[in-house]
Amino acid sequence: MKDRLDFIMNLLDSKKAQDLALFNLSNTNYITQYVIITTSLADKHSFALLDTLKTELKPRGEVFYSTDEENGDWVIADLGDIMIHIFTQNHRRKFNLEEFLNDYKRENKSD
């Protein structure tokens, strides 16, 4: 798992994704084990990052169960056990998913 996460994080970083954050939620009952959040430079950059993820990860056997790409301000890629959220800066600030995930993790540990 660490190799997959590292590959995805490095891939996003190499394509100028900003403020990468990784949340390990595997000890909770959250809908996925890991969440990656990053900021794009603009909505077109969000789509370019998603395209890069598809291009690089599908040949490695990754399955994209779902993508939400209706709005470039918040693009989501669901790999099953990894969920990737690509936000523009304003939307990342507006929805503050990091705070939600940190609170969720703190309040929902399943030991």
Side-chain angles (χ1 to χ4, degrees):
M1 177 61 78
K2 183 180 179 335
D3 289 343
R4 287 173 64 210
L5 292 166
D6 287 346
F7 184 83
I8 293 168
M9 298 284 283
N10 290 329
L11 181 61
L12 289 167
D13 185 55
S14 74
K15 297 300 179 182
K16 299 193 181 352
Q18 300 178 333
D19 301 322
L20 281 151
L22 172 63
F23 294 86
N24 180 345
L25 300 165
S26 59
N27 291 329
T28 71
N29 293 321
Y30 196 65
I31 57 174
T32 190
Q33 292 182 11
Y34 296 90
V35 175
I36 295 172
I37 300 174
T38 191
T39 303
S40 66
L41 301 171
D43 58 349
K44 288 183 181 182
H45 186 222
S46 297
F47 294 127
L49 289 171
L50 178 62
D51 188 54
T52 296
L53 288 170
K54 288 178 180 178
T55 301
E56 295 292 327
L57 295 178
K58 283 183 178 180
R60 296 173 63 95
E62 292 288 351
V63 176
F64 284 73
Y65 292 98
S66 176
T67 59
D68 182 347
E69 48 194 294
E70 291 178 24
N71 183 338
D73 289 318
W74 186 357
V75 173
I76 304 168
D78 179 359
L79 304 178
D81 54 354
I82 303 170
M83 186 91 58
I84 304 166
H85 296 267
I86 304 168
F87 288 101
T88 56
Q89 189 169 10
N90 287 339
H91 270 65
R92 186 169 180 173
R93 214 177 346 218
K94 177 180 177 182
F95 290 100
N96 199 4
L97 187 56
E98 287 98 332
E99 183 178 346
F100 168 79
L101 291 174
N102 281 323
D103 289 347
Y104 184 90
K105 187 175 177 179
R106 193 170 33 258
E107 296 168 10
N108 294 281
K109 286 203 180 260
S110 63
D111 297 316

